[in-house]
Amino acid sequence: MTTELAAPDHTGADKRPKRSRTKTLLPWLMVAVWVGLVVGGYSLAGKLDSVTRDGQADYLPASAQSTKVLQAEAELPGGESGLLMVVYERPGGLQPGDREAVERGQAELAERFGNDTDALPEIVDSDDGTAVMYALALDRDAVAEEAGATADARALLDDRPSGLNAYVTGPTALGADMDEVFDAVDATLMLATAVVVALLLILTYRSPLLWLVPLASVGVAAITSMGTVYALTQIFDFTITSMSSALLIVLVFGAGTDYALLLVSRYREELHRHVRPIDAMLPALRGAGPAILASAATVVAGLLCLLAADLNSISSLGPVGAAGMGAALLVMLTLFPALLVVLGRRVFWPFVPRLGGEAHQPRSGWARLGELVARRRVVSWAVPLVILGGLALGTVGASGSLPQLDQFARSTPDSVTGAKLIEARYPDESGQPLTVMSRPDQSREVLAAVESTPGVAQAEVGRASDDWVEISVLPVDSPDSAGETATIEQLRENVHEVAGDAALVGGTSAERLDEAETNKSDRNLVMPLILLVVLAILGLLLRAIVAPLVLVATVVVSFFGALGLCNLLFDQVLGFAGLEPSVPLIGFLFLVALGVDYNIFLMTRVREEAVRHGTVAGTKRGLAVTGGVITSAGVVLAATFAVLASLPLVMLVEIGILVAVGVLIDTLLVRSIVVPALTMSLGSRIWWPSKLSRASEDSVDDRL
């Protein structure tokens, strides 16, 4: 009988070590798989720049008149048009030798880049005798290589007398200067973001080793996301702009680091209960994983809502950001925990969690805050909401759209200096050329309608093909002025009356007008869609209706408070000339999606605690446990987006500051005080209509 009983015992004992060995080898296998993926995918990530495009058509909506004008221009002889404006200035007045240098430069530029070598562009003198200028229409090759053409043109003009300033400006030069700034964005942003995240992780963990693990994992996520986005562009037809590429880097670093902080916090708790790291990591993943998955799903769903936008640069941000979030989620739930397990407890040195120790101090600062909020519930949510409402008033009377010549932060390129010089010295000729496209059989009627439009200084017929005739129009008013906008709108109305949809009005100023109007319509469509999607995800996660409504309402109030505060900051402190039209929608997306993230992290833990301790006690416990790590995550995310403020483009500076300020408001005020106060004020009703909403505070087991 003894022998018969021994056999099954031996078999059972043999299986347990085998399962244990498999569990121990799994992290090493995961690390090996990711090493192979990174080595194989690194080359794909490096190719992302090759598919990044920043032409005006890559930002405009496909349905806009200005986009159709660009497409029609490409069919004309010589292809898409380009224009350089050259202006010379000597503040004390032009000298005799200056004219010779101007004419020499004019002839050399026309010979090398002009599309009509038989006719030199007209040189126009300013009324005060301090400046001369001329406009040069570019040939096909110069338009295709606008950056090289602009740089070469500036180099040719270096041969001039001392004291005579020369500036190359116009639409082509402005585009070239913008491209030059964008070309340096990704490398600068990647390095700056990595440094900021590293410093914050060192301060958070106070460990010489631990900070390297999330930083390395997030770096892998960034490489993976860039390679994934490049691969998707080879399969699907969507545009990658430098704006979406920059936001991809920031989003992956910020979200990935947040997920690392949350998982490490839960993992540290479990290490107090389990001997082996692998045995601690599995329950940590089960505990933090659903909240991280819900968080990523919320951001991805919000990003995919951008596909409904008409503006090309906004709609393309959706799949780019979603791919980045997917890569960050996959890396932080596979490679990152595997690295932690492989490195063991020693990775936390010198603050190594000991078996049987306390995971957190029940009387921490966050626990005391929870008690204070519980005693002053109404005041704790009413006062902050009134403050945020007051800040939201900063959106009233805000500056209009950012003018084209004020898009550069910190430094002013020659193209902007030259354009402003033309505005000052040639007030009656500072208008930016517009392009009207007409069908050949209606070109005379269209030209007459153009010439009769108030605000048009001159109009002349240019290139022609079998399908289109180009009419160049010079408005009286300067770019981005109310007068120019009125001229464009009236021009479109007049040509439509004589030719219907067969006449189109485009050009740089028309493109900016179309972009601003499309941004407005996109906001009206996409913002409500984002809210509906976020509400649905929260409802499924929390199995309630009231809680999602409360959480979404708080982040919306937080967004408008941040937007109002930033409007005042941009206008009164930083001196920006306006708000870039796409900033409110992008800021809304990130602040709602990422703001809800922190509420997800808090409220999933609160619900878990409420099942055992009741809603009020569960809220205090949830805040005590998650307060520190969520605040750290919020600070890291805010600092990551704030890196955008170091870039030389006002658009990215505004996005970075808006999201950073909004995340800090949401993390430090809304999530830490307002949401707990509202939750405790509503009590179990916040979980309506789930079963938990019907549980009284006395019916829960508070012994756990």
Side-chain angles (χ1 to χ4, degrees), residues 197-479:
V197 169
L199 290 174
L200 290 171
L201 287 172
I202 291 171
L203 292 173
T204 300
Y205 290 133
R206 293 171 294 164
S207 167
L209 179 60
L210 181 57
W211 66 275
L212 284 169
V213 184
L215 184 63
S217 300
V218 172
V220 170
I223 293 172
T224 304
S225 65
M226 294 168 70
T228 302
V229 170
Y230 172 77
L232 289 175
T233 62
Q234 306 306 298
I235 302 172
F236 303 103
D237 183 23
F238 64 88
T239 303
I240 304 295
T241 65
S242 292
M243 180 191 74
S244 57
S245 178
L247 292 176
L248 170 68
I249 294 171
V250 172
L251 185 61
V252 170
F253 267 87
T257 306
D258 277 4
Y259 299 156
L261 290 169
L262 293 162
L263 184 58
V264 167
S265 175
R266 199 66 179 245
Y267 177 52
R268 190 193 293 268
E269 287 184 45
E270 297 299 334
L271 283 173
H272 292 288
R273 306 185 183 103
H274 300 276
V275 176
R276 298 195 311 163
I278 185 66
D279 293 329
M281 180 57 72
L282 293 176
L285 284 171
R286 286 193 296 268
I292 293 175
L293 283 169
S295 165
T298 303
V299 179
V300 168
L303 284 162
L304 293 180
C305 288
L306 296 181
L307 290 171
D310 193 23
L311 199 66
N312 199 22
S313 58
I314 296 296
S315 62
S316 66
L317 178 60
V320 172
M325 286 299 302
L329 177 68
L330 183 62
V331 170
M332 304 317 289
L333 289 183
T334 56
L335 174 63
F336 179 60
L339 288 173
L340 287 176
V341 170
V342 167
L343 294 171
R345 292 176 184 268
R346 61 185 177 274
V347 75
F348 289 94
W349 186 87
F351 304 102
V352 179
R354 303 298 180 187
L355 186 65
E358 287 293 329
H360 59 85
Q361 296 297 324
R363 300 305 303 171
S364 66
W366 291 102
R368 290 193 295 273
L369 177 61
E371 294 291 348
L372 178 62
V373 170
R375 291 195 299 270
R376 300 287 187 270
R377 300 177 192 181
V378 175
V379 172
S380 295
W381 60 258
V383 172
L385 291 181
V386 169
I387 293 173
L388 291 174
L391 290 176
L393 295 176
T395 59
V396 178
S399 301
S401 296
L402 185 71
Q404 182 185 20
L405 298 182
D406 294 294
Q407 296 182 78
F408 298 90
R410 295 195 309 277
S411 61
T412 303
D414 277 4
S415 58
V416 172
T417 303
K420 291 186 175 181
L421 179 60
I422 292 175
E423 284 186 11
R425 297 290 187 271
Y426 301 88
D428 296 330
E429 300 182 47
S430 60
Q432 189 162 252
L434 300 171
T435 302
V436 175
M437 302 299 294
S438 169
R439 296 300 182 183
D441 58 342
Q442 297 174 302
S443 60
R444 290 186 178 180
E445 293 84 353
V446 171
L447 177 60
V450 170
E451 291 176 330
S452 66
T453 301
V456 171
Q458 63 183 58
E460 60 181 16
V461 176
R463 298 173 299 169
S465 68
D466 293 338
D467 297 319
W468 294 103
V469 173
E470 178 186 59
I471 300 174
S472 298
V473 181
L474 186 66
V476 173
D477 297 286
S478 59

Side-chain angles (χ1 to χ4, degrees), residues 67-134:
T67 308
K68 295 176 182 178
V69 167
L70 290 173
Q71 295 167 348
E73 279 186 309
E75 300 175 12
L76 294 174
E80 187 179 340
S81 65
L83 182 70
L84 288 180
M85 303 286 293
V86 179
V87 57
Y88 290 82
E89 180 205 29
R90 186 183 288 275
L94 296 174
Q95 299 177 359
D98 295 341
R99 191 79 181 189
E100 180 183 348
V102 171
E103 292 175 351
R104 183 173 61 251
Q106 172 206 36
E108 291 177 350
L109 286 180
E111 180 180 359
R112 183 161 179 181
F113 302 115
N115 63 4
D116 186 0
T117 56
D118 295 331
L120 293 176
E122 179 186 4
I123 297 177
V124 182
D125 294 272
S126 66
D127 292 338
D128 62 1
T130 63
V132 295
M133 76 166 184
Y134 55 86

Side-chain angles (χ1 to χ4, degrees), residues 512-527:
R512 290 182 58 77
L513 178 61
D514 288 338
E515 186 176 351
E517 291 179 347
T518 307
N519 263 301
K520 183 177 179 180
S521 63
D522 284 347
R523 287 197 298 269
N524 294 336
L525 171 64
V526 176
M527 283 183 174

